[in-house]
Amino acid sequence: MEKRFLSPQETIDLTISNGVKKAGLSFEQMLFLGIFAGVYIGFGGFASITIMQTIKNIDAGLMKFVGAMVFPVGLMLVIICGAELFTGNNLMVFAVLKREITVSALLRNWGTVYFANFLGSVTLAFLVSKSGLLQGDVLNLTFSIAQNKIFQDPVVPFIRGILCNILVVLAVLMATASLDIISKIFSCWFPIMLFVLSGYEHSVANMFFMPLAKFGGMDISWAQIFLNNLIPVTLGNIVGGAVVIPFMYSRAYFAEGRKDYKVSIKG
């Protein structure tokens, strides 16, 4: 009987294999695929803003839930169409722990992809601001979202970043375990919906939301965007996605004496 999904051990093994492939990408591949990922996450972000403003006067809780329902399309595009997302690539640490790639190869990927994600996100934010769609209630909600992301205490966005990327990399692991598109869609949808609904902080999403508000006319500086959000959120994302999940799961699945085997999608 054909398998419908991979076991946890098979999923970790395939994640290690994927990490090796990601480390072997050329600079050009990382750049272009990273730009796509930034754009894809931004697509989900702007759709979320658009639908939330249509029901903001009905119920605040419903508005937040509907926005959270729409946002995950960004990760679906990344996973299914193929793109390089910094937060998801935190799982490359599995390959480092297994000594399949070097730390320098890991940092090369992270640095290039992070820059590319930022470039794609900011480019989309600029284009949306010039599209005529960023006005009225959409613009007001964009300002409100960005204002709520300017933190004075860096510990707050750091912790929210940790919690966010635990869910993001778990979504990636679930999608990796899935062997058909429908399963991958649901694997992306539930954890990402959960982090948005909970109010956690995602660095790449914020690369879109905050520049969008700036391009829309909000009085916010690039220094505020980085110091009061992106830097602490990014560090939190790394702890959640590159430390908590890989290190704890490695203790479970890299145990001495564990039988290794090749991944197969056939039962």
Side-chain angles (χ1 to χ4, degrees):
M1 184 179 73
E2 186 175 354
K3 296 181 67 172
R4 295 179 180 273
F5 56 89
L6 301 180
S7 70
Q9 287 187 345
E10 290 174 311
T11 301
I12 299 302
D13 286 344
L14 184 54
T15 298
I16 293 170
S17 177
N18 289 339
V20 174
K21 293 177 182 177
K22 288 176 180 293
L25 294 174
S26 68
F27 172 79
E28 186 178 58
Q29 288 174 309
M30 292 181 193
L31 180 65
F32 290 152
L33 293 176
I35 289 173
F36 275 138
V39 171
Y40 295 161
I41 298 300
F43 279 152
F46 189 67
S48 180
I49 292 174
T50 301
I51 195 168
M52 283 195 295
Q53 63 85 27
T54 64
I55 57 174
K56 66 182 181 63
N57 294 323
I58 300 176
D59 182 83
L62 179 62
M63 177 190 76
K64 192 171 184 180
F65 179 61
V66 172
M69 290 176 63
V70 173
F71 184 82
V73 69
L75 186 63
M76 294 175 195
L77 291 170
V78 168
I79 295 293
I80 296 172
C81 297
E84 290 292 300
L85 182 65
F86 169 75
T87 47
N89 284 9
N90 281 182
L91 287 174
M92 292 173 65
V93 169
F94 275 117
V96 173
L97 294 175
K98 199 65 173 175
R99 298 183 180 179
E100 295 289 339
I101 65 173
T102 63
V103 173
S104 61
L106 172 75
L107 296 179
R108 171 178 173 269
N109 179 278
W110 282 6
T112 305
V113 169
Y114 189 87
F115 169 75
N117 288 169
F118 181 78
L119 184 58
S121 298
V122 172
T123 299
L124 181 64
F126 178 76
L127 293 175
V128 170
S129 72
K130 299 298 183 181
S131 68
L133 297 172
L134 192 63
Q135 56 185 327
D137 289 339
V138 173
L139 180 60
N140 292 333
L141 184 55
T142 299
F143 285 170
S144 177
I145 291 172
Q147 185 62 49
N148 289 333
K149 291 181 178 293
I150 301 175
F151 298 96
Q152 299 305 315
D153 180 2
V155 174
V156 173
F158 176 73
I159 293 174
R160 293 186 186 184
I162 294 174
L163 298 174
C164 171
N165 216 31
I166 287 175
L167 288 171
V168 171
V169 298
L170 288 176
V172 174
L173 287 174
M174 288 171 62
T176 301
S178 304
L179 302 180
D180 61 84
I181 289 181
I182 298 300
S183 298
K184 289 182 184 295
I185 287 173
F186 278 101
S187 294
C188 293
W189 191 83
F190 281 101
I192 303 305
M193 178 274 293
L194 185 59
F195 103 64
V196 176
L197 187 62
S198 300
Y200 303 148
E201 294 289 320
H202 187 264
S203 57
V204 179
N206 292 348
M207 292 175 186
F208 172 77
F209 286 128
M210 302 189 77
L212 181 65
K214 180 176 178 60
F215 295 145
M218 183 176 175
D219 184 16
I220 180 175
S221 67
W222 287 108
Q224 286 178 300
I225 290 174
F226 277 95
L227 296 177
N228 296 91
N229 187 282
L230 285 185
I231 291 176
V233 169
T234 299
L235 293 175
N237 287 167
I238 291 172
V239 172
V243 178
V244 175
I245 295 301
F247 277 83
M248 294 188 71
Y249 268 108
S250 69
R251 296 296 297 171
Y253 293 109
F254 294 175
E256 186 176 353
R258 197 205 104 191
K259 183 180 179 181
D260 289 315
Y261 49 83
K262 294 182 179 180
V263 174
S264 172
I265 64 173
K266 297 292 185 180

